[in-house]
């Protein structure tokens, strides 16, 4: 399948080279190696997750402690994703690709699949963000419609009224449906655009999934006298907590009515240059404090990540300062919203799409 082609604009290419030079100089002027802090987290955060698991087992006779420990595991799972998995996929934690690959494989132990997620994130989302049919992050589920210029059908016409019931099931869908469909459903974006998946990866995916459910549910029941009901309840609440926390961080960055969802023309061309595309489809969040920078992996500075994914989030504060100033000087559409404003805008997008506002405006 022929891949989308960004609009070629020599002026934009020169602009990006100028911006890249400014960013490189800014980062090189920082004396310390900040990636060491992420490397420390690569040890601490998995220990926290599995430490909470052991703590839950040792307190299996106290249901409230057991459940709370599993909920905290869900929150720590999201921190592992934001701080480690995401950076390891871009080889930003260690200089060694092998070490980054080892960190990435933590994802396999917590219910996801590292192989297919890296495919989604690097080859699909980063390559063509917000492009329907190419960005797996906006791939339609049938329940919720994200792309404005696709007409809402059936239950999608009511999505703004029930989305809050669907979003807490986000990671359940990921574990039980999305991974399997991306491995075996030929209609999915990954298989259409990335080619065949090696058999060993399919075996690995199923094996790790089984192991995940074995230690999450079977081990407590078989060896620690946890009732099946309590084991399922604690695991269920863990995944619910992780889903809500993950979407709270991820939803405000791309699927907003202020961001474009570019359409391909008849020649598979995109309307923007690569540089303009990143500004058109991505926004930042205004929140900038110690917690966001050091705990949430600087996801508030998402434009920097799409423009310079070769740098870890430890440098996004300074990189974003350069981007914001450069955007003002060259009239680039840099956007930045408070997080709750952005979340409200996402709900507005769901409502507009449910009401087919795009088609009404077109007419």
């Amino acid at each position: 399948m022929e891949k989308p082609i960004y609009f070629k604009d020599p002026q934009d290419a020169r602009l990006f080279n100028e911006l890249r030079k400014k960013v490189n100089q800014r980062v090189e002027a920082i004396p310390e190696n900040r990636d060491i802090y992420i490397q420390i987290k690569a040890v601490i955060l998995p220990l926290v997750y599995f430490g909470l698991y052991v703590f839950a087992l040792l307190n299996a006779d106290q249901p409230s402690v057991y459940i709370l420990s599993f909920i905290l595991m869900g929150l720590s799972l999201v921190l592992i994703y934001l701080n480690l998995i995401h950076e390891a996929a871009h080889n930003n934690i260690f200089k060694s690709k092998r070490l980054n690959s080892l960190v990435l494989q933590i994802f396999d132990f917590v219910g996801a699949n590292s192989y297919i997620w890296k495919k989604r994130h690097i080859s699909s989302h980063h390559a063509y963000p917000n492009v329907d049919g190419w960005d797996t992050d906006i791939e339609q589920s049938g329940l919720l419609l994200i792309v404005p210029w696709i007409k809402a059908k059936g239950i999608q016409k009511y999505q703004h009224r029930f989305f809050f019931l669907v979003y807490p099931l986000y990671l359940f869908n990921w574990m039980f449906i999305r991974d399997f469909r991306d491995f075996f459903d030929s209609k999915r974006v990954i298989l259409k655009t990335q080619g065949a998946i090696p058999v060993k990866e399919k075996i690995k995916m199923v094996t790790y999934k089984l192991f995940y459910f074995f230690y999450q549910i079977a081990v407590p029941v078989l060896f620690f006298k946890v009732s099946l009901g309590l084991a399922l309840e604690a695991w269920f609440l863990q995944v619910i907590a992780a889903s809500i926390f993950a979407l709270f961080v991820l939803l405000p960055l791309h699927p907003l009515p202020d961001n474009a969802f570019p359409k391909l023309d008849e020649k598979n061309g995109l309307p923007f240059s690569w540089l303009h595309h990143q500004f058109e489809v991505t926004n930042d969040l205004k929140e900038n404090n110690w917690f966001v920078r050091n705990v949430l992996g600087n996801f508030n500075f998402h434009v920097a990540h799409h423009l310079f994914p070769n740098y870890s989030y430890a440098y996004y504060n300074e990189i974003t300062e350069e981007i914001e100033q450069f955007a003002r000087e060259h009239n680039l559409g840099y956007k930045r919203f408070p997080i709750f404003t952005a979340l409200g805008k996402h709900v507005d997008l769901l409502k507009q799409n449910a009401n087919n506002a795009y088609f009404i405006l077109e007419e």
Side-chain angles (χ1 to χ4, degrees):
M1 179 179 289
E2 185 181 352
K3 294 182 179 181
I5 303 169
Y6 283 103
F7 178 72
K8 289 181 172 55
D9 187 330
Q11 175 62 21
D12 278 1
R14 286 192 293 270
L15 280 178
F16 180 66
N17 286 333
E18 183 181 342
L19 175 59
R20 180 167 51 191
K21 184 177 179 180
K22 289 177 179 290
V23 166
N24 290 342
Q25 290 174 344
R26 181 72 181 271
V27 173
E28 288 168 4
I30 298 172
E32 62 177 330
N33 174 21
R34 294 180 182 174
D35 291 337
I36 188 67
Y37 300 110
I38 306 178
Q39 293 166 12
I40 293 171
K41 290 179 188 178
V43 176
I44 293 176
L45 288 177
L47 287 178
V48 168
Y49 180 85
F50 289 106
L52 286 166
Y53 172 72
V54 172
F55 183 77
L57 295 180
L58 295 178
N59 291 275
D61 57 335
Q62 302 181 62
S64 60
V65 175
Y66 185 86
I67 290 173
L68 179 60
S69 298
F70 267 69
I71 291 173
L72 292 175
M73 285 171 64
L75 301 182
S76 64
L77 166 60
V78 178
L79 298 183
I80 287 172
Y81 168 77
L82 295 175
N83 289 274
L84 304 181
I85 304 302
H86 186 254
E87 293 302 311
H90 291 279
N91 292 309
N92 284 341
I93 301 179
F94 299 100
K95 292 182 179 179
S96 165
K97 287 188 176 181
R98 179 176 172 274
L99 288 177
N100 285 305
S101 178
L102 286 175
V103 173
L104 188 62
Q105 288 180 37
I106 295 171
F107 226 23
D108 298 308
F109 287 93
V110 295
N113 180 266
S114 59
Y115 173 86
I116 206 68
W117 182 80
K118 186 173 181 178
K119 286 280 188 182
R120 291 183 194 130
H121 188 68
I122 303 296
S123 303
S124 175
H125 175 64
H126 266 269
Y128 310 105
N130 273 21
V131 179
D132 182 55
W134 293 87
D135 181 0
T136 57
D137 283 9
I138 60 168
E139 193 162 14
Q140 303 309 304
S141 67
L143 285 176
L144 300 177
L145 178 64
I146 301 297
V147 180
W149 46 266
I150 295 177
K151 201 156 191 172
K153 299 178 180 178
I155 197 171
Q156 293 172 344
K157 295 179 181 179
Y158 309 98
Q159 63 183 17
H160 55 298
R161 297 177 182 172
F162 67 79
F163 73 92
F164 60 90
L165 298 174
V166 175
Y167 280 166
L169 305 177
Y170 172 64
L171 290 182
F172 290 103
N173 176 68
W174 190 329
M175 293 176 182
F176 290 109
I177 300 174
R178 188 181 182 191
D179 281 346
F180 287 94
R181 289 192 67 189
D182 280 350
F183 267 90
F184 301 107
D185 186 347
S186 60
K187 297 180 181 178
R188 298 287 282 181
V189 168
I190 285 295
L191 288 181
K192 285 195 300 182
T193 60
Q194 302 301 317
I197 295 173
V199 173
K200 69 175 183 178
E201 292 297 338
K202 296 178 181 178
I203 295 172
K204 176 183 170 184
M205 187 268 287
V206 174
T207 302
Y208 271 109
K209 294 278 188 187
L210 292 173
F211 176 71
Y212 169 76
F213 291 112
F214 175 73
Y215 83 78
Q216 289 275 334
I217 298 170
V219 167
V221 172
L222 296 176
F223 303 105
F224 291 88
K225 299 181 179 179
V226 174
S227 69
L228 179 60
L230 177 59
L232 290 173
E233 180 184 0
W235 172 74
F236 183 81
L237 291 175
Q238 174 194 167
V239 182
I240 289 286
S243 297
I244 294 172
F245 186 17
L247 289 177
F248 184 81
V249 178
L250 300 176
L251 282 178
L253 302 173
H254 288 289
L256 307 184
D258 305 72
N259 292 334
F261 292 82
K263 294 178 71 172
L264 295 169
D265 62 23
E266 63 278 0
K267 295 182 179 179
N268 234 31
L270 286 162
F272 307 115
S273 68
W274 180 85
L275 176 66
H276 265 82
H277 187 97
Q278 309 312 314
F279 282 103
E280 290 290 338
V281 304
T282 314
N283 61 274
D284 280 349
L285 301 177
K286 284 192 174 180
E287 285 73 17
N288 182 15
N289 51 52
W290 182 91
F291 181 80
V292 170
R293 290 194 299 270
N294 296 282
V295 179
L296 298 185
N298 252 341
F299 258 64
N300 55 323
F301 294 143
H302 208 58
V303 176
H305 176 61
H306 273 267
L307 289 174
F308 300 99
N310 56 307
Y311 283 117
S312 78
Y313 69 78
Y315 300 95
Y316 287 172
N317 192 36
E318 289 83 358
I319 291 174
T320 299
E321 288 178 0
E322 295 295 331
I323 291 172
E324 196 168 7
Q325 180 179 342
F326 193 83
R328 283 196 302 268
E329 293 172 355
H330 298 280
N331 199 30
L332 296 170
Y334 177 78
K335 302 179 292 291
R336 194 169 180 176
F337 309 114
I339 187 169
F340 289 105
T341 299
L343 287 168
K345 286 175 176 290
H346 175 72
V347 176
D348 289 341
L349 176 70
L350 294 179
K351 188 173 183 179
Q352 290 171 23
N353 291 353
N355 294 327
N356 289 316
Y358 175 88
F359 295 92
I360 293 172
L361 291 173
E362 283 288 289
E363 292 170 2

